[in-house]
Amino acid sequence: MTTPIIIDTDPGQDDAVAILLALASPELDVLGITTVAGNVPLATTTRNALTTVELAGVPCPVRAGCDRPMARPLRTAEHVHGETGLDGYDLPAPTTAPAEGHAVDWMIETLRAAPAPVTICPLGPLTNVGTLLDRAPDVAARIARIVLMGGAYFEVGNITPAAEFNIYVDPEAAEIVFRSGIPLTVVPLDVTHEVLTTTARTDAIEAAGRVGPAVAGWLRFFDRFDREKYGSEGGPLHDPCTIAWLLRPDLFTGREINVEIETRSDLTRGMTVADWWRVTDRAPNALFLGDVDADGVFALLTERLARL
Ligand code: BDR
Ligand code: CA
């Protein structure tokens, strides 16, 4: 039995590693990759998704989605990911083109036609998924679960003092997702800041077969920003944690809690108001992860990358 998934993404080095982990894992059937504007503009995230699929050597269609948030101008993160979004290792330009059609249209058709509900893994701003649910509310019943990287509780913010990047960029889309009633698993900064690319872990990945040197190059570029910012012994490996949770939920712990998205305040826009201590009577709407076996995640990732 394989789990059918759609990866919705804005590569980004950590997004690219998540794509490789999914494509290397026989438990998952990646029906397609949809791209969104986020870390870098849409044309670049789409190109980077194609580059990553070609590096994996596992065919998988890539489709471009929304080029800006539902209600706001786009905010990007070249200061973290570099101008190309995949700075750190030079790969050849992709030889394949994106599949035809808008990613949101494709998702609607695919979800309606799928023999069983499909899991969606959003790794960037939630614009494509919010647009999908806004435009075709019937497909909510065709989504088994949404497993997303975004938000924070104890760690609070990385793009503002109050907000994590993916939720901050498109809080209106995030609000639609968190109010959808679809089962949600949320991988927040609280978890990803435990999963650090230490020198020893990155060196092990570099030795992990054909794709190892590219992944290590990306991670060494990506983690310079967070090492400097936090004084940590590595950078947080955000997005691959979503795929790792699908493969090995036993490596994580969390709580079923209520999470609301702040959309109105300029000061706290995009904050995930997570009722971790259950101090309200608002109904739980998400499995909000809180802890992780980081060594277990890196062992899984390294072993899977070596298969490509
Ligand atoms: C998230 O923002 C992006 O920079 C990363 O790819 C990740 O999805 C972390 O806040
Ligand atoms: Ca991302």
Side-chain angles (χ1 to χ4, degrees), residues 9-12 14-15 39 81 123-125 149 165-166 239:
T9 177
D10 64 336
D14 61 321
D15 300 74
N39 287 322
H81 299 271
L123 311 178
M149 190 280 135
F165 178 79
N166 289 340
D239 295 338

Side-chain angles (χ1 to χ4, degrees), residues 153 254-258 274-284 286-288:
Y153 176 55
R255 294 185 181 190
E256 294 282 351
I257 61 167
N258 178 270
D275 190 5
W276 181 260
W277 298 112
R278 301 188 183 114
V279 295
T280 74
D281 57 7
R282 294 195 286 264
L287 172 60
F288 197 86

Side-chain angles (χ1 to χ4, degrees), residues 10-15 38-39 77 80-81 122-125 149-151 158-159 164-167 189 192-193 222 238-239:
D10 64 336
Q13 293 90 350
D14 61 321
D15 300 74
N39 287 322
V80 180
H81 299 271
L123 311 178
M149 190 280 135
N158 63 355
I159 188 73
E164 181 279 328
F165 178 79
N166 289 340
I167 307 295
L189 295 179
T192 66
H193 281 209
F222 180 65
H238 304 289
D239 295 338

